[in-house]
Amino acid sequence: MRGNWFNEERTTRHRRELAIIGQRNRLQYIILGLLNQRPQTGYDLAKAFENEIGEFWQAQHSQIYPMLKRLETAGEITHEDTIAGEKLAKKQYSLTPSGHEKLVAWVSEPSPELAATKDEFILKLYFIKSADDPRLQPMLQEQAVLHRTQLAHLKQRRQTVFPDQAAIDQAYGHYLILDHAIGREQYYVDWLNQLLEH
Amino acid sequence: MRGNWFNEERTTRHRRELAIIGQRNRLQYIILGLLNQRPQTGYDLAKAFENEIGEFWQAQHSQIYPMLKRLETAGEITHEDTIAGEKLAKKQYSLTPSGHEKLVAWVSEPSPELAATKDEFILKLYFIKSADDPRLQPMLQEQAVLHRTQLAHLKQRRQTVFPDQAAIDQAYGHYLILDHAIGREQYYVDWLNQLLEH
DNA sequence: TTAAAACATGTAATTAATTACATGTTCACT
DNA sequence: AGTGAACATGTAATTAATTACATGTTTTAA
């Protein structure tokens, strides 16, 4: 395990037992995982970050293209040049055996760190000292709208992407994380509603 | 609103309605908020990131000290040099009226963006295709241990920091976010438990 | 037929965040 | 008297991520 600014090996301080991590090079693994599903172009990968994994991880094409080069240099992926139509050049990337191994190793290794949630609203709440602060109710209202919208969006996605049991069985992990995200939003909405009822 | 890579103004794409943000310069506001509570040194601020706000935001002293200089140059904060003991130099920072204004403006402005949650376990789950994958159960078990521990830790903190109603009334926002964090962890644990019962 | 949207691939500049380097003081305990 | 933990403040190097710059092709719909 790489040294983390605050981890369990750091025995001299006992303020917190569990490390909360920022973000490390997980992008490479996501790319390997996506390419394991099927060979894809950088553009396809960028779209995946806007769609299915977008709820959980974000990356722009400006981060993806350089990473594809790095991974190819490292021998984890290769590409095949193709031409679409008259002359539109595409690079179809796919995993090498080494890349596949690396992906399997990553999924199999422990994930002992808590997710770093950076929620600006929660941060602002911290600085509201009193329950009577006139800013509090509007803030809660605003967040309720935001999270109700997101909840509806996620439920809609679940219905579209997983219409039947067969769809769930084919991409069980994807189903689980969508289900998890829905539950998380539902909790957020319930928590806000309960506060709004005072 | 500063241009975001994927926001509501971007009307030409309709894949997602709500922006998920990365991280912007929120550190400065957190520092202003902390200094608004009471004048503090950089060291004190760093400790606050390990304790109360550590569940919601992380920053190291190597980020804090330069930010204090930036904020002082910008006229948002000032400092007073003091000596502790024989010769230990301390810099006690406090808000200027301008810094206070800036803090109030930030808290008052809308927070229309969803939190970016980067959870490595959730990411790995995405790449588990089948419910029969032998890695799935151990992964869920591991996460259950992690989140049960965190839940216990947060509940302990609530009991310590908010033993009575008076404590809650004095730092209502802090209480709310701790309550929110507990609810969030409780949901995570319940979700994992329900999956582990198959 | 033409304009907009989507497809497609890159690089550059900047900012945010982590990790490591660097140094010294004070307090509590043995 | 000595040691280790906590107090205290910085900088440097690196990595991650965002935003902006840059260019061209193909498809779709008015």
Side-chain angles (χ1 to χ4, degrees):
Chain A
M1 187 176 157
R2 278 208 322 204
N4 217 15
W5 68 277
F6 209 81
N7 63 29
E8 293 175 76
E9 269 113 322
R10 187 157 160 188
T11 48
T12 58
R13 285 208 186 165
H14 296 281
R15 290 208 180 87
R16 188 186 301 139
E17 296 78 36
L18 299 169
I20 291 181
I21 47 131
Q23 45 279 329
R24 276 207 315 273
N25 60 336
R26 262 84 118 245
L27 178 61
Q28 59 179 319
Y29 299 112
I30 305 171
I31 290 177
L32 293 177
L34 290 170
L35 293 180
N36 189 45
Q37 299 181 345
R38 88 196 84 87
Q40 291 181 77
T41 66
Y43 187 85
D44 294 331
L45 294 173
K47 268 194 310 178
F49 279 97
E50 289 173 8
N51 295 305
E52 49 255 56
I53 36 173
E55 326 289 358
F56 302 99
W57 210 269
Q58 300 81 43
Q60 281 73 45
H61 74 273
S62 60
Q63 213 186 344
I64 292 166
Y65 288 114
M67 185 59 80
L68 286 169
K69 292 205 165 163
R70 253 179 73 184
L71 286 168
E72 186 161 41
T73 304
E76 319 290 4
I77 62 177
T78 40
H79 82 270
E80 209 180 311
D81 288 302
T82 60
I83 301 286
E86 280 295 296
K87 50 178 170 172
L88 182 60
K90 281 191 191 193
K91 291 183 182 177
Q92 204 81 14
Y93 285 91
S94 52
L95 285 192
T96 61
S98 156
H100 187 262
E101 258 176 64
K102 194 173 173 176
L103 172 64
V104 169
W106 172 68
V107 175
S108 302
E109 88 195 11
S111 318
E113 287 141 345
L114 291 165
T117 309
K118 298 198 161 179
D119 185 325
E120 186 166 25
F121 161 70
I122 288 290
L123 212 45
K124 287 179 179 176
L125 261 194
Y126 179 75
F127 298 114
I128 299 284
K129 290 295 136 191
S130 155
D132 301 324
D133 191 305
R135 296 170 297 181
L136 185 57
Q137 291 298 317
M139 285 170 77
L140 294 171
Q141 290 283 4
E142 182 203 35
Q143 291 298 307
V145 170
L146 184 69
H147 286 281
R148 277 181 210 134
T149 307
Q150 177 69 355
L151 178 58
H153 165 69
L154 291 174
K155 281 181 170 174
Q156 181 57 55
R157 263 185 65 70
R158 182 167 58 182
Q159 213 162 29
T160 312
V161 183
F162 299 103
D164 50 41
Q165 191 60 40
I168 295 173
D169 293 340
Q170 269 171 47
Y172 187 63
H174 186 181
Y175 174 75
L176 284 185
I177 68 173
L178 192 49
D179 180 64
H180 178 85
I182 289 168
R184 169 157 52 80
E185 283 301 325
Q186 186 68 64
Y187 162 69
Y188 212 132
V189 168
D190 290 346
W191 183 77
L192 289 167
N193 284 343
Q194 162 236 312
L195 282 177
L196 283 165
E197 286 163 14
H198 13 47
Chain B
M1 186 175 157
R2 277 208 323 205
N4 218 13
W5 68 276
F6 208 81
N7 62 30
E8 293 174 77
E9 270 112 321
R10 186 157 161 189
T11 49
T12 58
R13 286 207 185 166
H14 297 281
R15 290 207 179 88
R16 187 187 301 142
E17 298 78 36
L18 299 170
I20 292 183
I21 48 130
Q23 45 279 327
R24 276 207 316 274
N25 60 337
R26 261 87 114 245
L27 178 60
Q28 60 179 316
Y29 299 112
I30 305 172
I31 290 176
L32 293 178
L34 290 170
L35 293 180
N36 189 45
Q37 299 181 343
R38 90 196 82 88
Q40 291 180 78
T41 66
Y43 187 84
D44 295 331
L45 295 172
K47 268 194 309 178
F49 279 98
E50 289 173 6
N51 296 305
E52 49 255 57
I53 34 173
E55 327 289 356
F56 302 100
W57 210 270
Q58 299 81 44
Q60 282 71 46
H61 75 273
S62 60
Q63 213 185 343
I64 292 166
Y65 289 114
M67 185 58 81
L68 285 169
K69 293 207 165 164
R70 254 180 72 185
L71 286 169
E72 187 161 41
T73 304
E76 319 290 3
I77 62 177
T78 40
H79 83 271
E80 209 181 311
D81 288 302
T82 59
I83 301 286
E86 280 295 297
K87 51 178 170 175
L88 183 59
K90 282 193 191 193
K91 292 184 181 175
Q92 204 80 15
Y93 285 92
S94 52
L95 284 191
T96 62
S98 157
H100 187 262
E101 259 177 61
K102 194 172 173 177
L103 172 64
V104 169
W106 171 68
V107 175
S108 303
E109 88 194 11
S111 317
E113 288 142 343
L114 292 165
T117 310
K118 299 199 160 180
D119 185 326
E120 186 166 25
F121 161 69
I122 288 291
L123 211 47
K124 287 179 179 177
L125 260 194
Y126 179 76
F127 297 113
I128 298 284
K129 290 295 135 190
S130 157
D132 301 324
D133 191 305
R135 296 170 297 182
L136 184 56
Q137 292 297 316
M139 285 170 77
L140 295 171
Q141 290 283 4
E142 181 202 36
Q143 291 298 306
V145 171
L146 183 70
H147 286 280
R148 276 182 210 133
T149 306
Q150 177 68 356
L151 178 57
H153 165 70
L154 291 174
K155 282 182 169 173
Q156 180 58 54
R157 263 185 63 71
R158 182 167 57 182
Q159 212 163 27
T160 312
V161 183
F162 299 104
D164 50 40
Q165 191 61 40
I168 295 173
D169 293 339
Q170 270 171 46
Y172 187 63
H174 186 181
Y175 174 76
L176 284 184
I177 68 174
L178 191 49
D179 181 64
H180 178 85
I182 288 168
R184 170 156 52 79
E185 282 301 324
Q186 185 69 64
Y187 162 68
Y188 212 132
V189 168
D190 290 345
W191 184 76
L192 289 168
N193 284 343
Q194 163 237 311
L195 282 177
L196 284 166
E197 286 163 16
H198 9 48

